[in-house]
Amino acid sequence: DQQVKQNSPSLSVQEGRISILNCDYTNSMFDYFLWYKKYPAEGPTFLISISSIKDKNEDGRFTVFLNKSAKHLSLHIVPSQPGDSAVYFCAASGDNDMRFGAGTRLTVKP
Amino acid sequence: DAGITQSPRYKITETGRQVTLMCHQTWSHSYMFWYRQDLGHGLRLIYYSAAADITDKGEVPDGYVVSRSKTENFPLTLESATRSQTSVYFCASSESLGQAGQTSYEQYFGPGTRLTVT
């Protein structure tokens, strides 16, 4: 069972516009959420995280929103840049468990 | 060099053979993890370790064995490789598993090992 779902396998946006990547989870024990970015032939790298005691965390162009009642989080990238083109993984942890989503491939077109 | 390294980066082996993937980290992180990445599944946790000599199963442990005699090393062994174990394997480390309210406890990933079982 996929406890963390990223329903959009891919997303394409124009440079300068907003990118919104979505993630849903099912396990109510998850209390910490992270986004990772992955370039080809490299390991994932941490991007931004949010604790369940918050509903928003911002770091430069990246903002993560958490809606606990809907078990949904999203990553906003504003403005999007061509260098943001990568696969983005959502991760959820809690109760000694960590699960990753299947990833969303973001393409930012110049 | 500081960081987390994996070896080999690429490996081709035959069905039934034993193969060991190595992982080494220089940060003295307590936690280490092994994931496999497959299309449509994202990253799935195979095993993790909270400290030397302490290991625990993840989501997909069958067919894999781990050990952790030293904090910095966390080898993953496929005792009898199968074609279904063809994948990209990532090792990661972190300071802790974290608790709600902590600012960050991200995992640091190695570059990956691409394993092909023929």
Side-chain angles (χ1 to χ4, degrees):
Chain A
D1 64 343
Q2 281 199 307
Q3 297 189 28
V4 178
K5 293 183 181 179
Q6 294 177 256
N7 291 319
S8 298
S10 63
L11 174 68
S12 181
V13 299
Q14 208 67 34
E15 181 179 7
R17 306 294 289 268
I18 185 171
S19 295
I20 300 176
L21 294 88
N22 294 303
C23 178
D24 297 292
Y25 63 96
T26 58
N27 189 341
S28 59
M29 296 300 291
F30 290 145
D31 58 12
Y32 202 89
F33 306 90
L34 307 94
W35 284 94
Y36 288 84
K37 178 179 180 179
K38 185 184 179 304
Y39 292 118
E42 295 182 9
T45 55
F46 170 75
L47 189 58
I48 192 169
S49 64
I50 188 166
S51 165
S52 60
I53 62 175
K54 296 184 177 181
D55 55 18
K56 176 183 175 181
N57 189 27
E58 192 171 352
D59 183 3
R61 297 185 297 113
F62 302 92
T63 303
V64 56
F65 295 92
L66 175 63
N67 183 333
K68 283 185 293 184
S69 61
K71 294 190 178 67
H72 176 83
L73 64 155
S74 61
L75 173 68
H76 293 211
I77 306 174
V78 182
S80 300
Q81 299 174 353
D84 296 329
S85 297
V87 176
Y88 289 79
F89 290 100
C90 165
S93 73
D95 197 26
N96 280 336
D97 191 12
M98 175 173 276
R99 301 292 177 117
F100 282 78
T104 296
R105 181 178 300 278
L106 174 65
T107 303
V108 181
K109 298 180 179 179
Chain B
D1 290 335
I4 183 164
T5 56
Q6 293 183 235
S7 62
R9 293 294 312 277
Y10 303 91
K11 176 74 177 178
I12 300 174
T13 191
E14 295 177 340
T15 300
R17 293 215 182 240
Q18 181 181 85
V19 59
T20 296
L21 310 183
M22 304 301 294
C23 178
H24 176 79
Q25 54 107 353
T26 61
W27 293 301
S28 299
H29 283 165
S30 296
Y31 283 82
M32 295 188 75
F33 309 82
W34 274 106
Y35 293 90
R36 58 179 290 174
Q37 184 193 3
D38 303 290
L39 196 63
H41 290 280
L43 293 161
R44 289 183 293 175
L45 182 64
I46 303 170
Y47 269 96
Y48 71 99
S49 168
D53 297 321
I54 300 175
T55 62
D56 214 340
K57 295 179 180 179
E59 185 183 356
V60 288
D62 293 344
Y64 303 95
V65 175
V66 294
S67 62
R68 192 157 176 219
S69 57
K70 293 183 178 180
T71 300
E72 61 267 30
N73 296 323
F74 191 39
L76 175 73
T77 297
L78 288 68
E79 293 190 303
S80 179
T82 64
R83 289 196 180 91
S84 65
Q85 292 177 309
T86 292
S87 186
V88 180
Y89 291 85
F90 289 100
C91 177
S93 71
S94 71
E95 293 180 1
S96 74
L97 279 182
Q99 302 291 334
Q102 286 191 358
T103 55
S104 175
Y105 66 102
E106 69 267 25
Q107 295 180 16
Y108 297 85
F109 284 81
T113 295
R114 183 174 293 277
L115 176 68
T116 301
V117 183
T118 62

